[in-house]
Amino acid sequence: MKVINWIILVCLVAVVLTLVQVVWQWLRRRRDYALLSERVHLQRDRYAFLIDRNFRVKETNFYELNEDIQDNQPYVLGNVLHCQTAIDEGLCGTGIDCDTCPIRMVIKNAFKLKRDFDHVEASMHLYDEHHETKEMDVRLDGELVHVGKEPHLIVTARKTGSSVDHLP
């Protein structure tokens, strides 16, 4: 009987330790996400996006800086930026031109190589609030960050040589 009691005690301790670890990881993810979210929303001179490896936007200051743009675009980087290809195709990453998008390539490589990128310049065709296309030269920077153990990027964007209030 004593052996069974020890086995039960060991199992209970294992369950408790597992639960503590799960709760600790959940709290860590919440804290990490809150800190990164604050960093994104504190940006005032450029657009900032917290994205995952699937280009899904988890947090952005885009709509705070563009109060006149209220739309129901999917929360994917190209759609939030109002990239012409993303909007026309319905979802960023699904258009033929997306395969050769320099921004997409740089972001994919940043996740793959687990490193930041700086001063990436590209020309984009973006829709403005009147749904008119404008060609913009943009500069992007990306910082690899983690929410828990999951890699994310904080991507900042601005028109080359300008502040954020001149983007779309």
Side-chain angles (χ1 to χ4, degrees), residues 53-81:
R53 66 176 55 251
N54 295 315
F55 292 76
R56 286 188 307 253
V57 176
K58 301 300 184 179
E59 285 293 325
T60 184
N61 65 352
F62 182 86
Y63 296 106
E64 293 167 32
L65 299 176
N66 290 296
E67 293 175 357
D68 54 329
I69 297 178
Q70 299 297 327
D71 56 22
N72 58 354
Q73 287 298 315
Y75 258 53
V76 183
L77 186 59
N79 291 83
V80 174
L81 273 172

Side-chain angles (χ1 to χ4, degrees), residues 1 3-4 9 12 14 21 25 27 38 41 59 67 73 78 84 88 97 99 105 117 137 140 144 154 159 164-165:
M1 208 53 168
V3 172
I4 292 176
L9 181 64
L12 284 174
Q21 184 178 15
Q25 288 175 355
L27 289 171
E38 183 179 0
H41 290 285
E59 285 293 325
E67 293 175 357
Q73 287 298 315
Q84 181 181 10
D88 291 348
D97 293 337
D99 292 337
M105 286 183 209
F117 60 89
D137 292 329
L140 299 159
L144 188 68
I154 292 181
K159 184 177 177 186
V164 73
D165 54 8

Side-chain angles (χ1 to χ4, degrees), residues 6 10 26 33 35-36 41 47-48 50-51 62 78 80 84 102-103 108-109 114 119 123 133 139 147-148 155 158 160:
W6 277 105
V10 168
W26 179 76
Y33 186 81
L35 291 171
L36 294 171
H41 290 285
Y47 295 123
L50 176 64
I51 64 170
F62 182 86
V80 174
Q84 181 181 10
I103 295 169
K108 279 184 179 181
N109 282 334
K114 298 180 177 128
H119 308 301
S123 289
T133 304
R139 187 185 104 190
V147 177
V155 176
R158 68 165 55 181
T160 303

Side-chain angles (χ1 to χ4, degrees), residues 83 92 96-107 122-124:
C83 168
C92 174
I96 293 173
D97 293 337
C98 297
D99 292 337
T100 59
C101 174
I103 295 169
R104 209 166 176 71
M105 286 183 209
V106 167
I107 291 173
S123 289
M124 295 184 73

Side-chain angles (χ1 to χ4, degrees), residues 108-133:
K108 279 184 179 181
N109 282 334
F111 278 114
K112 183 179 177 181
L113 300 174
K114 298 180 177 128
R115 64 183 205 193
D116 303 344
F117 60 89
D118 294 315
H119 308 301
V120 173
E121 294 189 12
S123 289
M124 295 184 73
H125 290 91
L126 303 174
Y127 283 122
D128 64 11
E129 65 274 7
H130 306 294
H131 202 69
E132 294 176 12
T133 304

Side-chain angles (χ1 to χ4, degrees), residues 10-29:
V10 168
C11 289
L12 284 174
V13 168
V15 167
V16 168
L17 289 175
T18 301
L19 284 174
V20 166
Q21 184 178 15
V22 167
V23 168
W24 181 80
Q25 288 175 355
W26 179 76
L27 289 171
R28 181 177 166 202
R29 284 182 55 85

